[in-house]
Amino acid sequence: MKKYGVLFFALLLCFILTACGNSLSNANTKEQEKDTKATESENDNSNNNTQEDSGKKTLDKVGDSLYDLNTGTVTLNAMKDISNKKLIIGDLKVNFLNAKVITITNLSDAFKAELIENFGGDPKEFTYAQILYKTENTGNDEISWRGFRTAVTSDGQQMDLNFNLIMGLPNPSSIKMMAKSKMDDNMDWIPVNKDEKSIRLKGENVLKRDNSKDDAIVYGKEIKMDL
């Protein structure tokens, strides 16, 4: 009987130890799941915060500043409504929207490399006037236009705007417009000083697809605007 009693006690002890082991294992598993969920929740919140921060991509009032990974720290120095400005070259009508003077500091390596390639030197910051405009072909013929390729600052400094094309900005290089059509969201960058007050923009010639017409070429015009 004693042998059976000892054997029964040993089996009971094994059962108890196994149950305890399973209990501890389940507790550890649940704790790990809790930690995992907490980490996932933290990551989700982090992602949401990053998306919210990256979503702030507009400069609405003078003094506003934001960080852009592609360029650097972007600050709005001045902003002006220029919607009263229009430029008509043949069948092309350009409706201006607004002008902003913007300075970029803490330049990203990639953006700094682009500036060096286009302007040389060792830039620490970059200030430019950003001009937004829309285009409309008011005629019955298809036309083409190369946008604004030259600007002159208030102190008479002439600027070549071809760098807009190299940097991928939507300043038309050879835009083609169907008859009676419109295009929005055109943009020009003009390098200026922070205290620049005005610029002159030169619009390129407007060409009709049918070059047999008397007005197949309408020569470009310039326009002055305050900043």
Side-chain angles (χ1 to χ4, degrees), residues 75-80 82 98-104 126-133 151-154 159 161 163-164 169 171 186-201 225-227:
T75 303
L76 179 61
N77 301 324
M79 180 170 61
K80 193 173 185 66
I82 54 173
N98 63 53
K100 295 180 178 180
V101 178
I102 296 170
T103 297
I104 303 176
F126 180 64
T127 299
Y128 62 96
Q130 175 184 284
I131 309 298
L132 296 181
Y133 63 94
V152 178
T153 59
S154 57
M159 308 298 299
L161 304 183
F163 78 93
N164 281 263
L169 299 173
N171 175 33
N186 296 299
M187 178 193 303
D188 234 342
W189 282 16
I190 302 101
V192 296
N193 296 319
K194 288 182 181 179
D195 58 351
E196 187 67 68
K197 300 301 180 186
S198 66
I199 56 169
R200 288 155 48 203
L201 281 175
M225 59 189 64
D226 295 332
L227 299 177

Side-chain angles (χ1 to χ4, degrees), residues 64-105:
D64 276 359
S65 184
L66 57 83
Y67 182 74
D68 181 84
L69 290 174
N70 297 316
T71 55
T73 302
V74 185
T75 303
L76 179 61
N77 301 324
M79 180 170 61
K80 193 173 185 66
D81 181 352
I82 54 173
S83 57
N84 63 325
K85 293 286 186 179
K86 293 178 174 56
L87 183 65
I88 297 177
I89 309 173
D91 290 339
L92 176 72
K93 181 165 71 173
V94 181
N95 297 285
F96 294 94
L97 301 176
N98 63 53
K100 295 180 178 180
V101 178
I102 296 170
T103 297
I104 303 176
T105 55

